[in-house]
Structure formats: structure tokens, C-alpha cells
Amino acid sequence: MTKVTKKLTCIECPKGCRLAVDVDNGKVVKVAGNECPKGEKYAISEIENPARILTSAVLSQGLALKMIPVRTDNPIPKSRIFEAMAEIKKIRVKKSLKTSDIIVENFMGLGVDLIATRKAK
Amino acid sequence: MIKKDLVIVGGGPGGMAASVSAYESGIKDILLLERDQYLGGILNQCVHTGFGLEHFKEVLTGPEYAERFIARLQDMPGIDVSLKSLAVKLTRDKTVTFLKPGVLQTVKAGAIIMATGCREKTREMVHIPGTRPSGVFSAGLAQKLINIEGLLPGKEVVVVGSGDIGLIMARRFTLEGAKVKAVIEIQDKPSGLLRNIAQCVEDFNIPMYFRHKISRIHGRDRVEKVSVVKVGDDLNEIPGSLFEIKCDTVLMSVGLIQENELIDASGIQIQGNNTDVPGIFVCGNALKIYDIVDWVTKDSFAAGKLAAEYIK
Ligand code: SF4
């Protein structure tokens, strides 16, 4: 692979800056169009290691709230997202939770925790 | 009739922020009316991230954003939160009548803040011809079904319009295993945020059609397919451009409108950030449709302050 320019949209804030990213052999060598440093960080991650915070909801059993909203506390590789959804579907929450309580530690061995984003009794 | 210094109608982000702000400005006798069994309003079903960057300087999901305010309200003993309380009438002499399970109550207020939010436009408001099968949902209703009720309302989905909720739901359906076959937008650019085009549509290679519209919905009992046509810059159909997409679900994401029935029925006029009745205020999405909840919060903090100044 040689040098190419890729167009991305930064997703780190609602502005959605259009980024022009020069990529050489899979490595980012230059980022333009970002209005703040987060855009550069995003571009590097998006090209070299694309990742997203995954949000979803898991089923509860015996709690007043039927669906407990959850997220990974840090981004996980994009390529693992559907696998992660399959794992999330297997989970049943049976105990009361507070917001930010860990539902699965070291989720799928990815070094992130799956946490509750709402309290549930 | 009960009496309160301040009555706030709506316990979503607007009403919660207005309550906190009025309390911090010295008003300690507040009634906050929420029709649902939880505070938080629409935030509770917005399980995705993207909230709070401005107000809290961190990225939160909807329920987390709501939780921060719910926790603050719990530490404010002068705020009486009344759940399952549906406001049914507002009058110019500053009374609010509300229905709670089993009781109809009227409260006389020193000031009132209406934070009743907004609702989605429906298929009827954009006039799509065709049959009336089941399977046509507003994007927000589908969001509630999936995230609150745990039901997946369709397997093959076409999204009409590119509002943020529609884009978010295109991703949500995809994650849940449904196939999102198209997002169809009549304008030449998205109405939702560019970041949502990137992370909800492009991430999952969902086809996006600008300058297209649905010309017909087909199906007897359930949606079976939609007809799609290309339109010109004048928004008129381009002859010969029709094609069909097989689907069982059509999601409408064609915009939001203020939910101001109580204000309208009372004859009160909204004027700028206020109304023509001194002491009755409107804030959040009920005043103006905001793209971002942080702006609703900001607007509602201002309204809470104004109401507190008026009461004093
Ligand atoms: S580069 Fe900065 S300002 Fe632009 S979208 Fe990204 S975070 Fe926002």
C-alpha cells in the first residue's frame, strides 16, 4: 500500500468535522480539517484501530425495569461488535443495579467492562 | 386547591434542569409533574452515547445524563416530584390541573414553567400514499419498543427521512440483527448530524439515498414493500426512476414538533422565550426543537432562573 488520502467524519462531538487523512502503509501521517486535537486522535484510531463504544440493553429477570441499558466503558474493536451483541443477548440481570455498576468484567477478554447505564431495582 | 410557588410541567431534561435551576435560585416550594412513572423523559430510551459533552464535559448515554439530574433532584427536599401525573389543563391565572391515578387535582402556582417537550411527526404529516398496513412506526416508537420493551418490531427496514433518531435506529436495528435496506432522504443533505451519518449509516454500509422519496407503501396486513422515486431539485418526481424495496417495516424520521397543546388550548401565546402571561414560561423542546440535549439543559436553566426572579 502506498500513500492515500482518506475522507472521514469525526464523531467525537456534534460538529462532525470532515477530516482528510493521509495514510501511508496503513499508518496516519497527516490529518487535516479537524477543529480540535480530538479529531486527530480519532483519525488515527479510525484508520489504525477502529473502535466504538457499544451501547445496547440487556434483559432483566424479576426486576421492575425489563431492559437494562448498558455500554462498554471504553471502545471495543469495530470488528467485534456483532460478536459482542450476541454475548449481550445471552445476559440476564437478576440483581438490582446502580448506574455504572459492572455487569461483565473484562467483557469478551477485551479489557473493557460492560456497565449498566441506568439504575434498576 | 393546593398552592405552590412554582409548578413545572414535564420531567424530561427540560423540566429537570428548570427545577434544579429554580431551586438553586432560591425557590424551595416546587411541584414537578411527570406523566411517566420515571423522570428522564425521552432520555431513558436513548441508550446510545452522545449526550453531555457540553454540560458535563464527558460523553454519556441518555439514561446516564438523566440520572445525574435525578440524583440532584433527590438532594433538593423542596422539590416535590409527582410521577404518573398528567397535566390536562393550564389557565391564564396560573393554575395547572393534573390527573394522577385516581385523583384530579388543581394547583395554583406563583409561576409555571412548561417543559412538555416535543413529539415526532407522523406519516400522516408527510402524506405517503398507499395502504395502511402495520409495520409503519415513528423512529422514536421503534426505539421505545426495542430499548424499553425489549421487542424487535421488524426484520427488513426502510428508514424515511434522515433525522437523528432515524439514523440512530438504523444502527440499532442492524445491531439487533435486522437488515436496514435504505435510508431515504428527499433533501440533498442529511437533516441529522454528520457524526450519525458516519457512525450509524456508513459504519454498517447502509445504502443512503438523497433526493429520493417513498412514493407508495404496499402491503395488506403488514408492510410488504415500498416504491421509491428519485426527485429533482424542485422535489418533483423524475419519471422512469421508480424502483421497489422489499421490507416489512418503515421507520418515519421526518422531524419533531413542539408538544404545546395545553398552551394552545389556554389561549396563551408564546412570545420569544416567554409567554404573554407574566409568570408563565416555556423551555426546552417545547419552545424550540434542539438538536442536542445539552442545549435543552442550558435553555431550561435560564427559564428556571427567570421564573425564580419573577416569583421573588
Ligand atoms: S475535530 Fe474536534 S471539533 Fe471537530 S468534530 Fe472532532 S471533536 Fe468536534
Side-chain angles (χ1 to χ4, degrees):
Chain A
M1 232 190 345
T2 50
K3 212 165 162 179
V4 285
T5 301
K6 291 200 176 168
K7 299 249 181 269
L8 295 179
T9 305
C10 178
I11 63 168
E12 296 296 322
C13 93
K15 272 193 192 154
C17 295
R18 301 284 206 178
L19 312 178
V21 190
D22 291 347
V23 184
D24 193 0
N25 263 316
K27 291 277 168 218
V28 172
V29 290
K30 190 177 155 228
V31 182
N34 52 312
E35 281 184 31
C36 83
K38 276 195 282 185
E40 185 173 326
K41 218 175 133 211
Y42 172 75
I44 294 169
S45 146
E46 188 65 3
I47 299 293
E48 299 178 7
N49 233 326
R52 296 281 184 268
I53 285 182
L54 178 62
T55 62
S56 187
V58 302
L59 258 176
S60 77
Q61 248 169 27
L63 303 180
L65 207 59
K66 184 179 173 192
M67 300 304 291
I68 320 284
V70 297
R71 67 176 171 100
T72 56
D73 63 347
N74 278 297
I76 63 170
K78 258 191 187 178
S79 57
R80 307 289 298 276
I81 289 223
F82 283 97
E83 210 185 311
M85 281 301 296
E87 285 303 313
I88 283 173
K89 282 192 182 307
K90 292 184 199 156
I91 300 169
R92 298 290 178 272
V93 171
K94 295 174 187 153
K95 277 192 292 196
S96 306
L97 285 169
K98 295 189 303 299
T99 304
S100 301
D101 277 359
I102 295 173
I103 295 177
V104 183
E105 215 177 313
N106 191 15
F107 183 52
M108 301 187 357
L110 293 169
V112 306
D113 296 334
L114 190 72
I115 61 171
T117 56
R118 187 176 178 184
K119 70 168 183 243
K121 277 190 248 179
Chain B
M1 198 179 330
I2 47 174
K3 281 194 174 148
K4 288 277 174 187
D5 285 349
L6 176 61
V7 174
I8 297 174
V9 181
M16 292 195 296
S19 303
V20 166
S21 151
Y23 188 88
E24 286 178 340
S25 306
I27 306 304
K28 307 288 172 185
D29 179 38
I30 300 174
L31 176 65
L32 174 58
L33 299 173
E34 166 53 43
R35 65 185 168 190
D36 196 4
Q37 56 179 325
Y38 301 103
L39 286 174
I42 204 71
L43 287 170
N44 289 325
Q45 69 184 57
C46 298
V47 305
H48 55 281
T49 57
F51 306 89
L53 195 59
E54 266 182 44
H55 188 73
F56 292 111
K57 309 288 173 229
E58 56 184 303
V59 177
L60 301 171
T61 62
E64 289 168 307
Y65 192 97
E67 174 73 28
R68 302 253 170 133
F69 279 93
I70 294 169
R72 285 180 77 181
L73 288 169
Q74 276 167 352
D75 290 337
M76 297 177 167
I79 301 178
D80 175 10
V81 176
S82 186
L83 300 172
K84 298 185 196 165
S85 300
L86 176 70
V88 292
K89 195 174 172 199
L90 169 73
T91 64
R92 296 183 72 91
D93 56 355
K94 298 205 276 286
T95 70
V96 176
T97 303
F98 62 99
L99 194 61
K100 235 183 145 146
V103 260
L104 188 67
Q105 245 177 2
T106 299
V107 50
K108 171 89 182 141
I112 296 170
I113 301 175
M114 299 300 287
T116 45
C118 58
R119 71 161 70 96
E120 298 176 280
K121 289 186 186 165
T122 60
R123 172 185 182 180
E124 281 64 37
M125 296 178 192
V126 290
H127 305 294
I128 301 177
T131 53
R132 290 278 179 276
S134 68
V136 182
F137 303 93
S138 73
L141 174 58
Q143 188 178 45
K144 183 174 183 187
L145 290 171
I146 295 177
N147 294 341
I148 304 285
E149 311 291 341
L151 303 168
L152 185 62
K155 288 267 156 63
E156 294 188 304
V157 183
V158 170
V159 181
V160 181
S162 59
D164 285 311
I165 317 169
L167 302 176
I168 296 284
M169 289 317 293
R171 173 176 63 186
R172 195 73 184 95
F173 269 89
T174 306
L175 289 174
E176 288 293 328
K179 175 97 189 131
V180 179
K181 295 195 151 177
V183 176
I184 293 169
E185 169 59 59
I186 193 165
Q187 301 301 332
D188 58 1
K189 53 179 191 301
S191 65
L193 298 170
L194 290 177
R195 69 192 296 201
N196 287 335
I197 297 291
Q199 65 186 346
C200 298
V201 178
E202 290 168 2
D203 264 12
F204 301 99
N205 301 312
I206 297 168
M208 173 111 213
Y209 298 86
F210 292 105
R211 282 280 188 258
H212 280 74
K213 71 171 189 183
I214 291 204
S215 60
R216 185 164 283 273
I217 294 175
H218 308 263
R220 278 173 50 105
D221 301 325
R222 178 81 195 197
V223 174
E224 286 163 17
K225 61 182 181 183
V226 293
S227 300
V228 180
V229 288
K230 202 169 172 11
V231 299
D233 287 341
D234 56 3
L235 304 187
N236 287 326
E237 289 187 33
I238 295 175
S241 66
L242 187 135
F243 63 100
E244 289 179 342
I245 303 176
K246 205 177 138 289
C247 59
D248 60 19
T249 300
V250 175
L251 284 193
M252 304 295 301
S253 183
V254 289
L256 303 164
I257 46 167
Q258 285 97 335
E259 193 159 327
N260 278 337
E261 280 74 7
L262 292 180
I263 290 179
D264 294 344
S266 67
I268 294 167
Q269 304 287 323
I270 296 179
Q271 289 177 342
N273 283 355
N274 275 314
T275 68
D276 64 343
V277 180
I280 299 184
F281 304 88
V282 188
C283 71
N285 281 333
L287 180 67
K288 175 175 177 285
I289 304 297
Y290 288 98
D291 283 340
I292 293 167
V293 71
D294 300 68
W295 301 344
V296 168
T297 298
K298 196 171 167 197
D299 180 49
S300 306
F301 264 103
K305 236 180 165 164
L306 278 177
E309 278 160 20
Y310 172 82
I311 293 165
K312 290 176 187 167

